[in-house]
């Protein structure tokens, strides 16, 4: 496992109670949560540990997930000197990966993704945005169907390539629902409308790009400790100039998660997921290489023991 690649989950991995074990047993985690709460004026102890409906709202989910991921990563690197060749994340997780690669201070990253969530929310106001998961269709079939439907005036795009036979599409919610029978006829085993009020990774977010670029310019450092795999290209980058362009493009481009894992799998013997276990599930569809998830102190100790 000394040749592991670090991976970071995205939106949809959030759940009440995440990070609680870190907070209860680690002074570092407690300090990180307290400092993040002060920085963006969000009480993360309430958001993360008490029942509420805000954790599913994009402007709160994004900083919460990133914060827990970076706590897990910090606790790991404090005790282990494994340096990955590259790091990557799924959508929001790419920002966690940037911070893990010393491209951005973690508090700047918390504020950046909070602002990113607000920009995405604003871009989708009044357009009835939504996302839908499709199971059982190959990439080409989904691409062809959505392309034909766009020519007919529907607002639908492939948004996340999560694994063979698992794609998420984004766009206008009514348009997505209207195409469910079409996808079933094409062989989809299941279509599930996701509890999302934004349409991530499609052109409906283009109005958010200029402001996100400005925030990236403000908070990204010039040099990174290691390369990051881009969701947009499924290949690596390692400069502020590239990061600004690619992370702005990421808002309106599909997440090539499956392609990213396939790109790096020959250069690693395992993956370590920080702060969640969603990617561990996705990776089972993509690669034979094992994925270890660090979500609490027990799983942290188990992964450290394997090294």
């Amino acid at each position: 496992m000394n040749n592991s690649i670090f991976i970071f989950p995205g939106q949809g991995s959030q759940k009440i109670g995440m990070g609680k074990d870190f907070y209860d047993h680690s002074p570092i985690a407690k300090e990180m949560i307290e400092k993040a709460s002060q920085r963006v004026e969000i009480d993360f102890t309430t958001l993360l540990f008490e029942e509420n409906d805000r954790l599913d709202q994009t402007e709160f989910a994004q900083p919460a997930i990133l914060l827990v991921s970076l706590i897990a990563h910090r606790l790991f690197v404090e005790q282990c000197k494994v340096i990955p060749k590259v790091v990557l994340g799924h959508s929001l997780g790419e920002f966690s990966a940037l911070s893990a690669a010393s491209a951005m201070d973690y508090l700047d990253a918390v504020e950046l993704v909070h602002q990113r969530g607000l920009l995405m929310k604003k871009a989708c106001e009044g357009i009835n945005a939504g996302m839908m998961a499709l199971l059982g269709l190959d990439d080409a079939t989904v691409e062809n169907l959505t392309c034909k439907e766009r020519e007919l005036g529907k607002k639908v795009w492939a948004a996340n390539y999560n694994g063979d036979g698992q794609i998420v599409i984004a766009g206008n919610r009514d348009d997505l629902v209207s195409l469910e029978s079409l996808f079933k006829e094409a062989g989809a085993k299941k279509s599930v409308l996701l509890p999302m009020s934004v349409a991530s990774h499609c052109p409906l977010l283009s109005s958010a790009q200029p402001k996100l670029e400005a925030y990236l310019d403000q908070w990204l450092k010039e040099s990174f400790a290691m390369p990051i795999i881009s969701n947009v290209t499924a290949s690596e980058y390692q400069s502020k100039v590239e990061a600004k362009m690619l992370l702005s493009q990421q808002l309106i481009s599909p997440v090539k998660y499956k392609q990213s894992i396939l790109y790096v799998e020959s250069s690693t013997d395992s993956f370590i997921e920080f702060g969640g276990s969603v990617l561990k599930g996705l990776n089972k569809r993509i690669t034979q290489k094992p994925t270890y998830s660090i979500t609490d102190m027990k799983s942290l100790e188990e992964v450290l023991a394997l090294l």
Side-chain angles (χ1 to χ4, degrees):
M1 275 184 64
N2 290 327
N3 190 25
S4 294
I5 285 175
F6 294 178
I7 60 176
F8 299 86
Q11 198 169 339
S13 63
Q14 71 273 13
K15 57 183 178 182
I16 301 293
M18 67 180 188
K20 181 77 162 65
D21 195 52
F22 294 140
Y23 182 83
D24 288 344
H25 296 101
S26 165
I28 290 172
K30 194 167 187 179
E31 182 188 4
M32 287 178 72
I33 286 173
E34 287 169 356
K35 284 186 173 178
S37 297
Q38 291 167 6
R39 174 66 180 261
V40 291
E41 297 182 350
I42 295 170
D43 184 347
F44 281 104
T45 56
T46 302
L47 181 66
L48 289 167
F49 310 146
E50 297 176 15
E51 287 297 332
N52 68 88
D53 58 4
R54 293 192 307 160
L55 191 57
D56 286 330
Q57 296 171 28
T58 189
E59 69 269 33
F60 297 110
Q62 292 197 36
I65 294 161
L66 175 134
L67 179 58
V68 173
S69 287
L70 292 179
I71 287 169
H73 175 261
R74 170 84 179 274
L75 296 179
F76 178 82
V77 298
E78 291 272 326
Q79 299 182 65
C80 172
K81 300 308 175 198
V82 170
I83 298 173
K85 287 181 183 173
V86 295
V87 290
L88 67 94
H90 187 294
S91 184
L92 161 75
E94 191 171 341
F95 291 82
S96 306
L98 277 161
S99 187
S102 303
M104 201 186 309
D105 177 79
Y106 88 92
L107 288 173
D108 291 342
V110 167
E111 182 164 355
L112 173 64
V113 301
H114 174 53
Q115 293 298 335
R116 179 178 180 260
L118 289 168
L119 291 172
M120 290 168 69
K121 181 181 178 182
K122 186 174 183 191
C124 289
E125 280 175 358
I127 59 173
N128 193 26
M131 301 186 77
M132 178 184 283
L134 295 174
L135 300 178
L137 291 178
D138 62 73
D139 299 353
T141 300
V142 175
E143 287 160 3
N144 290 335
L145 285 172
T146 51
C147 182
K148 284 177 184 172
E149 292 303 316
R150 284 198 301 277
E151 289 170 0
L152 297 171
K154 304 270 187 182
K155 292 189 166 98
V156 289
W157 294 267
N160 297 343
Y161 295 97
N162 288 337
D164 287 341
Q166 185 177 337
I167 299 181
V168 175
I169 57 173
N172 176 277
R173 185 176 292 266
D174 292 336
D175 288 349
L176 294 173
V177 172
S178 75
L179 298 179
E180 282 192 277
S181 58
L182 187 69
F183 291 124
K184 291 249 170 67
E185 284 169 24
K189 294 175 185 171
K190 198 173 184 183
S191 58
V192 182
L193 203 62
L194 301 176
M196 301 275 289
S197 57
V198 296
S200 301
H201 308 294
C202 75
L204 296 179
L205 291 185
S206 58
S207 63
Q209 287 180 284
K211 284 190 176 176
L212 180 65
E213 278 190 46
Y215 288 130
L216 288 163
D217 190 56
Q218 181 180 347
W219 286 316
L220 276 170
K221 296 176 184 176
E222 292 295 338
S223 61
F224 306 171
M226 64 206 64
I228 291 111
I229 302 297
S230 165
N231 282 187
V232 175
T233 63
S235 59
E236 64 243 42
Y237 65 94
Q238 200 173 352
S239 73
K240 180 175 179 175
V241 171
E242 292 169 293
K244 276 174 58 182
M245 179 188 71
L246 290 166
L247 290 163
S248 168
Q249 194 65 25
Q250 194 222 59
L251 279 174
I252 62 166
S253 305
V255 170
K256 293 179 178 174
Y257 181 74
K258 174 181 72 173
Q259 295 90 331
S260 297
I261 294 296
L262 292 173
Y263 176 75
V264 300
E265 73 168 343
S266 64
S267 63
T268 188
D269 51 31
S270 62
F271 297 91
I272 302 176
E273 178 181 6
F274 293 92
S277 56
V278 169
L279 300 185
K280 182 178 182 177
L282 294 184
N283 281 6
K284 285 177 182 173
R285 292 172 161 266
I286 305 168
T287 178
Q288 298 295 313
K289 303 285 175 74
T291 301
Y292 304 96
S293 295
I294 298 175
T295 57
D296 54 21
M297 298 302 280
K298 182 170 182 274
S299 54
L300 171 63
E301 287 161 15
E302 288 169 353
V303 173
L304 287 168
L306 291 168
L307 295 168

